[in-house]
Amino acid sequence: MKNVILKYCFLLGMMASQVAYAQQSQQLWYKQAAAKWTDALPIGNGRLGAMIFAGVTEDHIQFNEETLWTGQPRNYNREGAAAYLPKIRQLLADGKQKEAEDLAAQHFMGLKSKEGDKASWTKAVSTQKSFAEVNFNDSQWKTFPVPTYEGWESAGLEGLDGALWFRTTFTVPENIVNKKLVLDLNRIRNYDLTYINGKLIGSTEGDGARKYRIPAGLLKVGKNTIAVQVLNYYDKGGIAGFKDTSRHIGIYPEGQSIKEGISLNGNWKYFVQDDNPPEVAQFQAAYQPFGDIYLRFKGHEKYQNYRRTLDLETAISTTSYTVNGVDFKREYFASQPDQAVVMRLSANKAKSLNLEAVLASVHQNFSLSKVDNQTIALKVKVKHGALHGESWLKATVKDGIINQKNGKLIISNASEVVLYLVAASNFQNYENVGGNPQLLCQQAMQRLKTKSYQDILSSHLKEYQSYYKAFSIKLGQQDLSYLPTDVRIDKFEEGKDADLAALYVQYGRYLLIASSRPGTQPANLQGIWNDLLSPPWGSKYTTNINAEMNYWPAEVLNLSATHQAFFKMVEELAFRGTETAQKYYGARGWVLHHNTDLWRGTAPINASNHGIWQGGSGWVSSHLYEHYLFTQDKEFLKNKAYPLMKSAAQFYVDVLVKDPKTGWLISTPSNSPENGGLVAGPTMDHQIIRNLFKSCIAAADVLGIDTDFRDTLKQKYLQIAPNQIGKHGQLQEWLQDIDDPQNKHRHVSHLWAVHPGNEINYDETPDLMKAAKQSLIYRGDEGTGWSLAWKINFWARFKDAEHSLKMLKMLIKPAEKGGGAYVNLFDAHPPFQIDGNFGGAAGIAEMLVQSQLNYIDLLPALPAAWSSGEVKGICARGGFELSFSWANGKLKEVKVLSKAGQPCVLKYGNAQMTIHTEIGRTYTLNQDLKPL
């Protein structure tokens, strides 16, 4: 009987676990706190973003406000650039690429921001040499690990630029002291003056390798001193050493290696001589972190039952643990209705909460102040920029006492604590920085004052879930949500966790909701989350794929409203780009090159071999028409989309020129994004332009307008250089047949017409589809995070389910193995770029439904591992919302909600059904697409 009871209890336990696991399927969860930023969990309301580290004795909440950037309103356009356009085109036509790039670099790139007096500052700081002397007393200096390949910022000196001294001693053995020796420090950012035993032995500016010959007789047997003055003007600084960290910096005999010499890896002494270098000229601005909250808890060193989660269904992150029998819980969310980050701390024992709350920032010279007895304020100013910001942190307590000391909120003996964070900058729009962040914070706190925590929570859930609950997805039958998310990532390649792919889709939707709401800025390269003053690629908007990829899930995954922020940016870019089109090309309409920022720069930036790309305005305009195709919103098409599309098309009408060799119309100068340098007539440009012309023709036809313009586009369309199949059976990337089958470049730009375009497809252009597939095979599977995501979409369009799944497994592999996923499921380029999350989510949707042609294709690329599943709320072009399920790899049932009353053509395998729909009506069909 006892054994029966035990077995019964065991079964009950298993059933309870199964229920618990099912509830966890919408969660990311972990057994340990975040050790680094890409472990932390993101929350956001479209304008404010925060990263929750969830430490026990010290919780760190790093936060952002979407409008805090470097730079200021200014003109990015170079006067007189158009005068050089004919010469650049002619040089390219003559095959003189290098000469064309050199001329363009000098006269055709955008204007940089102003630059400070670098020469005077460098001269002033480099005259101080006493720190290099052998007998200098550095006992009061702090220690620092050397080298730091990712910059001294990665080892605790975030935000620091300027002049620093590094010193250490080393012992020289007798057997090498008289040999010819070299000091190999490899890379130093950016300028060094290097001394041994007080004598300058070398100085180099730039990021190149430092390998200095040590003068004979300078070293002595025994203890010697090295001192390096490092001048860093901008971005990463320090003695970087080698990317391969197993290679040490050090001293060794000429012709040998560090293995036969003296390693200098270790802790050096350092001193900040001057942390205010002159401003460095920049083409565009960078997104900035705002501040940090630190919550410190004494007596919580010994804890049990730790767990941290991010619940995608509620957009609430939770941390829980037990100390001395008391259960502690922290909940965090970013409220859009109340424009605040909210943190609730509780315990199951009254008056158990004792903590201090601290505001800080990586910005230089931030300041703290008292607002009232419950509230402290943080003020920050962007270095060398026009923007400044303010954030307020307010505490309310149940029971307990709030005190302030040294800018900290000190809370004692509380039963519950609720913290409210609000933040704002002086940014109003890309031309106006006259806002009052203090007033905005005051107003936000005043609104919160009239509401209870439960009111704020309820409003948050209602608003957030209006987006999130519009869609659901289940994949596979095995539920591994009882495993921590980091473990699931590590095991995903085994192919047994289809549910993690479903979670990845929902996480992508969550991140898009959190970083892009109506009325906000669009999601940038990192969404809305950034902890670095010099983030990778400025964390701005790279418009030769990355900014667009961010919004690939918006329509198909039922988040159409999130697209509005992107459309607003397109409007602003069209205004800015009109001047750029005129000053660079003498053309009507508007143009966007490969990057933009908060200030909506549209001119070419960086280098002429990749910064001059004409396709940006055409690509972002495609999103406008896609929104119409999915929603059938004719008012949007008439009042917003078509005018912007038409203006973009006018630019291309004006700038397309006849290629003297073929007679085709081509775009020149341009490039196939970041591959192959400055060229005439890259394939991707022509695909984008044809797509835009075709969309404009269709839109004008729907609206019954612009007959003459339609005719112009039809004529031009037929003259544009066509897609070509090259000698390797590949789709040509350029006008000439020069593709290298060994080229494994991350961009696969000439396949744009496969995805996100639709010009190349199996129904109408099977030979081109075969060639495009061959190009992708040549390119290979490896790539950066976003590149892997794009390849999921390509292989889905090629109807190759297993290859799509293979790419997904590569996308959701541990980041340390290359492009993949960090612990918090952020996409790893590496470093972090959010586009891979969005592209991957869209790719999974593409495997389940496609509607880019004139019909809806169900389960076009379903892998065997997803033999059963269900999707609700997925969207298709034509104004349709679908819900369908499948089992044993076969469709079971599909429901189609018609939102616009358009004819609906469904395909599944060899079955096809046309439904003449009515607005608001749902149609149910069986596995053979027969009505039920």
Side-chain angles (χ1 to χ4, degrees), residues 652-715:
Y652 294 116
V653 167
D654 287 359
V655 300
L656 287 171
V657 297
K658 184 174 288 189
D659 176 49
K661 296 178 181 177
T662 64
W664 293 327
L665 293 181
I666 62 171
S667 65
T668 176
S670 193
N671 76 93
S672 189
E674 302 177 34
N675 186 27
L678 192 64
V679 298
T683 297
M684 181 198 217
D685 278 16
H686 303 146
Q687 294 174 346
I688 289 173
I689 295 167
R690 275 194 298 270
N691 180 78
L692 177 63
F693 284 8
K694 186 177 180 181
S695 298
C696 283
I697 293 166
D701 187 55
V702 168
L703 298 173
I705 58 175
D706 282 345
T707 303
D708 290 345
F709 187 61
R710 271 185 270 170
D711 290 341
T712 297
L713 294 183
K714 289 176 182 177
Q715 293 170 9

Side-chain angles (χ1 to χ4, degrees), residues 573-716:
L573 290 170
F575 182 82
R576 285 289 206 193
T578 299
E579 181 181 348
T580 306
Q582 194 278 324
K583 287 190 174 180
Y584 283 76
Y585 300 93
R588 299 172 299 162
W590 65 282
V591 65
L592 168 66
H593 293 89
H594 94 296
N595 257 283
T596 191
D597 58 10
L598 182 73
W599 312 108
R600 304 304 186 241
T602 53
I605 71 163
N606 296 349
S608 60
N609 65 354
H610 69 271
I612 301 172
W613 175 67
Q614 298 181 16
S617 47
W619 194 343
V620 299
S621 293
S622 73
H623 282 248
L624 299 165
Y625 195 61
E626 282 290 290
H627 178 73
Y628 164 71
L629 290 176
F630 273 93
T631 65
Q632 298 294 298
D633 185 345
K634 289 185 180 179
E635 287 301 307
F636 171 83
L637 182 67
K638 176 183 177 181
N639 298 322
K640 181 170 288 189
Y642 180 70
L644 294 169
M645 293 162 56
K646 178 182 177 181
S647 182
Q650 286 173 327
F651 169 77
Y652 294 116
V653 167
D654 287 359
V655 300
L656 287 171
V657 297
K658 184 174 288 189
D659 176 49
K661 296 178 181 177
T662 64
W664 293 327
L665 293 181
I666 62 171
S667 65
T668 176
S670 193
N671 76 93
S672 189
E674 302 177 34
N675 186 27
L678 192 64
V679 298
T683 297
M684 181 198 217
D685 278 16
H686 303 146
Q687 294 174 346
I688 289 173
I689 295 167
R690 275 194 298 270
N691 180 78
L692 177 63
F693 284 8
K694 186 177 180 181
S695 298
C696 283
I697 293 166
D701 187 55
V702 168
L703 298 173
I705 58 175
D706 282 345
T707 303
D708 290 345
F709 187 61
R710 271 185 270 170
D711 290 341
T712 297
L713 294 183
K714 289 176 182 177
Q715 293 170 9
K716 295 281 186 179

